Amino acid sequence: MKLVNLRCEYQKNPIGIDVKIPRLSWQIESNKKNVLQKSYHIQCADDDSFSKQNMLWDTGFIDSKMSNNIIYDGKKLPAFTRVYWRVAVETNKGNTNFCDAAYFETGFLNTKWAGSFITSAKKFNTNGPCPVLKKKFILDEIPISARLYITAFGLYQAHINEQSVNQDILAPGWTSYNNHVMYQTYDVTDMLIKGENLITAVLGSGWYKGSFAMRYRMNFYGDTAALLSQLIVSFRDGRTKIIKTDESWKSGNGGILYSEIYDGESYDARIEDKHRSESYEQWENAVVYNKNKDIKIVGQNTPGVRVIDEISPVEIIITPKGDTVLDFGQNMVGWVKVSASGKSGDEIYLLHGEIMLQDEFYNVNMRTAKTEAKYILNGKGEETFEPHFTFFGFRYVKLEKYPGEVLLENFKGMVISSNLEYSGEFECSNDKVNRLFQNIIRGQKGNFVDVPTDCPQRDERLGWTGDTQVFAATACYNSLSAPFYEKWLKDVVYDQFPNGAIPYVIPDILFDTRACSAWGDAGVIVPSVHYKFYGDKSVLKRQYDSMRKWVEYIRAQGESETLWDTGFHFNDWLAQDGYGQSKTHGATPVHLVSTAFYYNSVSLLKDAAAILDYAKDVKEYSMLADLIKKSFNEEFVTPNGRVSGETQTAYTLALHFGLLYDTSIFKAAYHLAELVRREKHHITTGFLGAPYIAHALSDNGYNEDAYRLLLNEEFPGWLYQVNMGATTIWERWDGLMPDNSINLGGMNSFNHYAYGAIGQWLYQTVLGIIPNNGFQEFIIAPKPCGLLKNAQGGLDTLYGRIDSSWELRDDIIELEFTIPCNTTADVCLPLAHREDIQYDGEMTVSKDGLLMKLGSGKYSFSYSNEDTKRMIERDGSSDDVKMDFPVWEETIDEDQK
Ligand code: BGC
């Protein structure tokens, strides 16, 4: 038995931790079964001998099953200090010794920065050249350690002695800049030398002051790009030296003529050369830039954006018009690293597009975003270029200009994303579903660029709240998304309006004071999803007030406290029902949707209150939820279980959010299944129904219909996109039509992750892995269907790996599960009967199968009975779906008597 994966603030051995009471987590690894932690003993010290005099916190053995997010409670942590920590545990199956020490390093905590924000003496226009700041300094010996703390208003890229410092790109990342800006911490020990050293930083406009947010306006947060940094150098004899940003720095500009998120970059290597050849002294001194002092400068505690992959183009296409276009084989987010040799003044000019239309390069859907990369060569041999402060969403690159012969090896696709740990896996017997799953992952990576965005390519790329909440659970299955969402949720709190309204986008850059259903509800849904996957009460607690304010905001709208029947709503965005070329809101009645989401938010708020022991709120919001449910049923549900609008989304929301009374659940489920069958298993929902429709079917007796909806290859549907060659998830079901014509609406992104929310159903229903309180107690209840022959996958949770797989072989079903230490799973063996299973423990029979509680370990089961045979026989070879709704028919008869 051993302890592994020690994490502080969700990261392994992080530096620059800027919280006074960090959270610590570990995992128990053992080949024994049923391992449960009984107590833990943590030691934190400022050296790794853990001697008494260096001890910061020694808990002794504490009776607790908690192994995640234990909140530090030792001596006050000093700034800029490395803290070593280790842990030992007692379990029901034996004890461990102290594990190998891990560490974290504190950042500023509340220490004041030594220097100030500085900027260039010359005023540059937005869209003008990027300012460069530099500083020479002397070290009288090689340091034993050096940390660079650095941030900017705008974006920065820093170098020390010509070596790139930034591991993160697009740093310092995007936050609600009027409230807080993150700083990064880099270990730069190896970059420094004895004697003269040079640090340089170039600044970009980025989200801070660029022409951004659908061109609504420029200079959102300020009109000046500025740098703040502090280099702390430590020597062997205990001395330290600080190099801070101040007026002694030099300022000017280099070869970046402009670099903008939407438009791309223009760079002239000749100008860069000229500026580099100027003497240091010739440059003007920088000037101090004093901005609002209330803006907090806080350490980054989420994975930064990095280059996560490099891909090679697969083909050079010469189009019928004669254009040269590179195909990178998949839709990707990032840029092209391009090499060329030519004369001084020769140009490279690249344009980025997502699709080819009628064999020609197409980029109309980028709207006003120029998405161009222009480089001018200095003519000194082979030159390699990459943009600095921009990124593109593309698969195809049109070479408008390129000197010399076009060779594939001179181009590399640099894929960027917030650098999360991805562990989610799903594979099944249908290769198209497997491709869909890969598209979901690619869609997430491309849209996790420091904030969760709607799309990565056109003049938008905003933290749309609706898109975020729709995809959050899928993202948490795919990857360790805890710190990523925690960062974003802080901005929900900062940017929420005083009346509780949550803006359409976070960070809010539209400054529209309206708020609408299902978008604003992200402020309640995302913290609830976070708790389910990570069990971190501190995040729920921090968000609670914001969650409550959102619910109270809705409650205050209109005349009725129990319906949300006023105001503008995006509604079931881009649904296929009730939607022509221009309509985008779908056919589901707007106030049915807003009231359904209102109910869902009140229910989640009530659950959060229960988790946090806020008894008064539990009572208040339980009562409110009951009243909303009553109003919803009076207003939108007939006694026969018909839900107003009779759309897929109307039934789905009513069923999935638990808005129906027992007497109408079966009826409504019947109507939904009937509707889906009438529509020949084509999905017609928009953003709001799509994540839940398969759950609504599977959870209410129509599992096979859910599978059919997924497996449908015709338009509109998930696999239709795959058949059309999608490598990411499209914004619209009809982005490209079967005849290859394109939806000409300007809004047509081929990398929008919202419909990728079907990923949650793949993990939760096909594999059956259902989180609860961070997976300490969870459920494994797969719902197989004969339309697939097998499915397997899982994810790394904070406790360790969970896997689930099943295979249908002849008439036998075989299942395997892995359950990590210090957790228990309520397992449901689908369609199993008591006599099928030899098991000594307690088992109960439910409508879905046989229930048992299992502790950690690996398990396999195999059985066969009349029910499994019937399920396996439904192999999809025949299209006739039996219309067989026994439960509903009985209920109806009863009612009508
Ligand atoms: C975005 C969406 C977003 C929507 C609001 C669009 O332009 O791309 O994904 O949620 O606006 O309805």
Side-chain angles (χ1 to χ4, degrees):
M1 186 177 300
K2 59 178 179 180
L3 302 179
V4 296
N5 287 328
L6 273 67
R7 290 173 191 271
C8 169
E9 295 288 298
Y10 292 99
Q11 301 167 63
K12 293 181 186 161
N13 298 333
I15 62 173
I17 285 293
D18 207 12
V19 288
K20 289 186 204 142
I21 46 168
R23 294 160 292 181
L24 305 175
S25 306
W26 58 87
Q27 285 172 12
I28 304 170
E29 224 174 60
S30 166
N31 46 22
K32 295 193 174 128
K33 274 195 167 164
N34 300 316
V35 176
L36 290 172
Q37 181 184 297
K38 292 196 319 203
S39 67
Y40 66 76
H41 181 179
I42 300 174
Q43 287 185 329
C44 296
D46 57 16
D47 82 355
D48 60 0
S49 68
F50 294 93
S51 60
K52 254 212 158 81
Q53 62 272 27
N54 291 314
M55 202 63 83
L56 294 163
W57 190 34
D58 189 339
T59 63
F61 271 98
I62 296 199
D63 289 345
S64 171
K65 61 178 187 178
M66 281 179 66
S67 53
N68 283 315
N69 294 313
I70 311 293
I71 295 177
Y72 176 84
D73 192 19
K75 285 189 195 149
K76 192 170 166 210
L77 291 174
F80 313 123
T81 301
R82 179 172 285 203
V83 176
Y84 293 89
W85 70 283
R86 61 184 187 176
V87 60
V89 301
E90 291 175 338
T91 77
N92 58 341
K93 302 282 164 158
N95 306 335
T96 70
N97 294 325
F98 274 116
C99 61
D100 290 343
Y103 64 82
F104 60 89
E105 259 179 46
T106 54
F108 275 75
L109 299 175
N110 279 344
T111 319
K112 256 180 73 85
W113 286 70
S116 316
F117 274 95
I118 55 167
T119 186
S120 171
K122 256 195 238 117
K123 263 266 176 210
F124 295 116
N125 294 335
T126 296
N127 272 335
C130 291
V132 177
L133 297 152
K134 53 186 175 182
K135 166 84 181 167
K136 272 191 186 161
F137 58 94
I138 310 278
L139 297 180
D140 53 15
E141 60 176 298
I142 292 184
I144 52 161
S145 115
R147 297 284 179 272
L148 179 69
Y149 304 92
I150 181 165
T151 186
F153 293 143
L155 303 175
Y156 72 85
Q157 281 200 5
H159 285 77
I160 291 181
N161 299 331
E162 302 286 327
Q163 293 180 60
S164 172
V165 165
N166 286 65
Q167 285 155 353
D168 296 325
I169 49 184
L170 301 168
W174 186 15
T175 48
S176 171
Y177 289 138
N178 289 330
N179 293 291
H180 68 150
V181 177
M182 299 189 298
Y183 69 84
Q184 284 71 42
T185 305
Y186 298 117
D187 180 350
V188 295
T189 316
D190 293 341
M191 296 180 191
L192 295 169
I193 53 169
K194 183 175 172 186
E196 189 175 271
N197 291 268
L198 177 70
I199 175 167
T200 60
V202 57
L203 301 178
S205 304
W207 300 286
Y208 186 79
K209 66 185 272 282
S211 174
F212 195 63
M214 299 188 271
R215 310 278 188 205
Y216 175 54
R217 67 177 159 93
M218 288 196 335
N219 298 331
F220 281 97
Y221 299 96
D223 61 2
T224 306
L227 177 77
L228 177 68
S229 80
Q230 184 160 328
L231 174 63
I232 305 185
V233 185
S234 310
F235 300 101
R236 198 164 304 281
D237 59 7
R239 280 180 305 133
T240 57
K241 183 177 169 102
I242 292 180
I243 288 91
K244 60 182 185 188
T245 36
D246 59 19
E247 279 154 341
S248 70
W249 283 56
K250 297 289 181 180
S251 71
N253 62 287
I256 308 176
L257 305 182
Y258 80 80
S259 194
E260 283 279 326
I261 292 181
Y262 288 162
D263 290 335
E265 179 160 317
S266 174
Y267 178 90
D268 190 332
R270 298 167 308 176
I271 298 182
E272 180 71 20
D273 283 355
K274 180 172 164 290
H275 287 289
R276 278 168 182 260
S277 64
E278 288 164 357
S279 80
Y280 180 74
E281 285 67 31
Q282 224 176 307
W283 277 37
E284 282 179 279
N285 277 45
V287 293
V288 165
Y289 178 69
N290 281 318
K291 215 196 154 192
N292 182 353
K293 290 267 187 307
D294 291 339
I295 297 173
K296 293 193 186 106
I297 309 296
V298 293
Q300 165 172 312
N301 63 351
T302 178
V305 180
R306 304 227 166 155
V307 172
I308 55 160
D309 204 3
E310 286 186 25
I311 56 176
S312 297
V314 292
E315 196 187 347
I316 302 167
I317 302 168
I318 307 294
T319 73
K321 275 196 201 156
D323 290 335
T324 305
V325 176
L326 297 178
D327 177 4
F328 281 82
Q330 60 173 63
N331 205 337
M332 58 163 280
V333 175
W335 55 75
V336 176
K337 183 171 174 178
V338 51
S339 304
S341 307
K343 298 189 300 298
S344 172
D346 276 353
E347 287 179 50
I348 299 172
Y349 183 20
L350 313 178
L351 285 175
H352 301 76
E354 289 187 291
I355 56 163
M356 298 289 283
L357 195 62
Q358 283 147 12
D359 299 329
E360 293 295 341
F361 177 79
Y362 180 89
N363 65 353
V364 176
N365 64 332
M366 302 286 164
R367 301 199 302 218
T368 69
K370 286 198 230 153
T371 66
E372 61 184 21
K374 278 186 184 168
Y375 306 107
I376 302 183
L377 278 62
N378 62 14
K380 297 182 186 161
E382 192 179 68
E383 296 170 63
T384 300
F385 300 98
E386 287 179 84
H388 297 74
F389 302 117
T390 187
F391 60 95
F392 311 106
F394 65 99
R395 169 173 170 170
Y396 299 97
V397 171
K398 181 175 167 197
L399 303 187
E400 288 277 353
K401 292 181 188 170
Y402 182 80
E405 193 189 349
V406 178
L407 298 171
L408 286 178
E409 68 250 32
N410 288 333
F411 302 86
K412 272 263 152 6
M414 311 299 282
V415 182
I416 66 159
S417 181
S418 284
N419 191 28
L420 308 188
E421 294 171 41
Y422 280 77
S423 68
E425 285 176 345
F426 178 89
E427 230 187 319
C428 67
S429 52
N430 183 312
D431 196 44
K432 291 184 180 170
V433 175
N434 298 338
R435 273 163 56 197
L436 171 72
F437 179 77
Q438 293 309 327
N439 292 355
I440 294 170
I441 300 273
R442 221 176 273 127
Q444 180 182 339
K445 289 183 177 169
N447 280 294
F448 270 32
V449 180
D450 210 52
V451 302
T453 62
D454 57 333
C455 59
Q457 73 295 79
R458 68 176 178 230
D459 52 359
E460 205 146 351
R461 316 187 204 182
L462 302 173
W464 282 98
T465 45
D467 308 47
T468 302
Q469 64 88 358
V470 158
F471 192 73
T474 301
C476 293
Y477 276 113
N478 289 340
S479 60
L480 177 57
S481 304
F484 179 82
Y485 282 128
E486 189 177 339
K487 164 187 175 282
W488 187 77
L489 286 169
K490 280 185 192 156
D491 285 341
V492 171
V493 174
Y494 277 126
D495 287 348
Q496 186 169 21
F497 293 104
N499 66 355
I502 293 180
Y504 298 152
V505 298
I506 298 286
D508 184 19
I509 198 159
L510 299 178
F511 308 121
D512 187 328
T513 52
R514 291 175 302 173
C516 76
S517 142
W519 270 249
D521 290 293
V524 174
I525 295 173
V526 179
S528 306
V529 168
H530 193 289
Y531 181 76
K532 275 201 159 68
F533 281 83
Y534 307 112
D536 189 340
K537 282 192 191 171
S538 68
V539 174
L540 203 57
K541 200 165 174 179
R542 180 151 18 85
Q543 296 304 126
Y544 186 81
D545 198 42
S546 149
M547 295 163 78
R548 201 182 49 74
K549 272 163 67 187
W550 168 250
V551 160
E552 291 299 330
Y553 168 81
I554 305 175
R555 201 174 184 177
Q557 304 304 304
E559 301 283 295
S560 163
E561 269 199 354
T562 57
L563 292 170
W564 190 359
D565 54 2
T566 56
F568 165 80
H569 302 277
F570 291 117
N571 211 41
D572 193 17
W573 190 243
L574 303 182
Q576 280 291 314
D577 48 19
Y579 148 141
Q581 275 291 311
S582 60
K583 290 213 193 88
T584 47
H585 303 272
T588 308
V590 175
H591 297 134
L592 177 150
V593 172
S594 47
T595 304
F597 272 88
Y598 176 29
Y599 175 78
N600 183 50
S601 279
V602 175
S603 307
L604 294 174
L605 179 68
K606 173 199 77 185
D607 294 346
I611 293 161
L612 296 171
D613 284 331
Y614 299 159
K616 200 169 136 271
D617 281 11
V618 175
K619 199 165 157 208
E620 160 138 22
Y621 293 112
S622 304
M623 273 163 57
L624 180 60
D626 289 347
L627 293 175
I628 300 170
K629 184 165 172 167
K630 187 159 171 281
S631 293
F632 182 91
N633 279 272
E634 284 165 5
E635 193 80 12
F636 303 115
V637 188
T638 71
N640 247 339
R642 292 201 180 271
V643 180
S644 248
E646 301 213 54
T647 61
Q648 291 184 359
T649 293
Y651 285 110
T652 295
L653 296 183
L655 284 162
H656 190 69
F657 289 163
L659 272 154
L660 301 172
Y661 295 114
D662 288 351
T663 46
S664 48
I665 291 174
F666 291 122
K667 301 173 193 173
Y670 169 87
H671 294 312
L672 173 61
E674 192 193 38
L675 179 62
V676 165
R677 291 175 187 192
R678 212 180 322 124
E679 291 172 343
K680 299 203 164 30
H681 294 91
H682 293 116
I683 179 138
T684 58
T685 76
F687 279 24
L688 303 188
Y692 309 129
I693 184 167
H695 296 275
L697 290 165
S698 292
D699 296 346
N700 291 290
Y702 299 98
N703 192 39
E704 183 177 317
D705 290 284
Y707 274 78
R708 282 184 173 261
L709 200 63
L710 170 75
L711 296 174
N712 197 335
E713 298 194 20
E714 289 167 17
F715 167 81
W718 285 279
L719 296 192
Y720 164 72
Q721 297 188 359
V722 171
N723 280 344
M724 291 297 285
T727 56
T728 37
I729 304 292
W730 299 350
E731 175 175 29
R732 292 173 178 269
W733 296 119
D734 60 357
L736 268 182
M737 292 305 287
D739 63 358
N740 257 319
S741 63
I742 191 169
N743 186 314
L744 287 172
M747 208 181 63
N748 194 5
S749 139
F750 292 92
N751 195 357
H752 235 72
Y753 59 40
Y755 292 139
I758 187 68
Q760 180 183 359
W761 181 80
L762 297 177
Y763 288 104
Q764 185 165 319
T765 303
V766 180
L767 302 179
I769 302 171
I770 307 178
N772 178 20
N773 49 356
F775 286 104
Q776 192 154 38
E777 283 111 24
F778 67 105
I779 294 172
I780 303 187
K783 290 199 169 91
C785 168
L787 300 180
L788 293 181
K789 287 295 146 238
N790 58 58
Q792 57 271 333
L795 73 155
D796 289 342
T797 69
L798 291 178
Y799 294 92
R801 183 84 192 163
I802 296 177
D803 276 315
S804 165
S805 71
W806 52 261
E807 170 141 30
L808 310 180
R809 205 193 295 265
D810 304 324
D811 53 6
I812 294 173
I813 174 165
E814 293 174 348
L815 299 113
E816 278 180 12
F817 309 122
T818 308
I819 299 170
C821 290
N822 206 23
T823 72
T824 51
D826 284 311
V827 172
C828 177
L829 299 180
L831 307 176
H833 302 165
R834 205 175 275 277
E835 58 278 11
D836 299 334
I837 304 295
Q838 295 212 323
Y839 174 67
D840 295 338
E842 211 179 294
M843 297 191 286
T844 45
V845 182
S846 81
K847 71 173 178 17
D848 291 323
L850 206 51
L851 305 179
M852 56 180 67
K853 205 181 242 334
L854 297 178
S856 63
K858 286 188 192 301
Y859 300 88
S860 50
F861 300 92
S862 112
Y863 50 90
S864 168
N865 60 41
E866 285 314 306
D867 291 330
T868 59
K869 276 185 200 152
R870 204 170 320 123
M871 182 264 293
I872 293 168
E873 274 163 20
R874 304 284 315 141
D875 62 359
S877 53
S878 120
D879 246 358
D880 87 88
V881 186
K882 232 168 92 214
M883 295 294 279
D884 173 18
F885 309 111
V887 184
W888 178 72
E889 274 158 9
E890 273 165 32
T891 321
I892 270 281
D893 289 341
E894 279 299 304
D895 282 1
Q896 283 167 352
K897 266 176 209 162

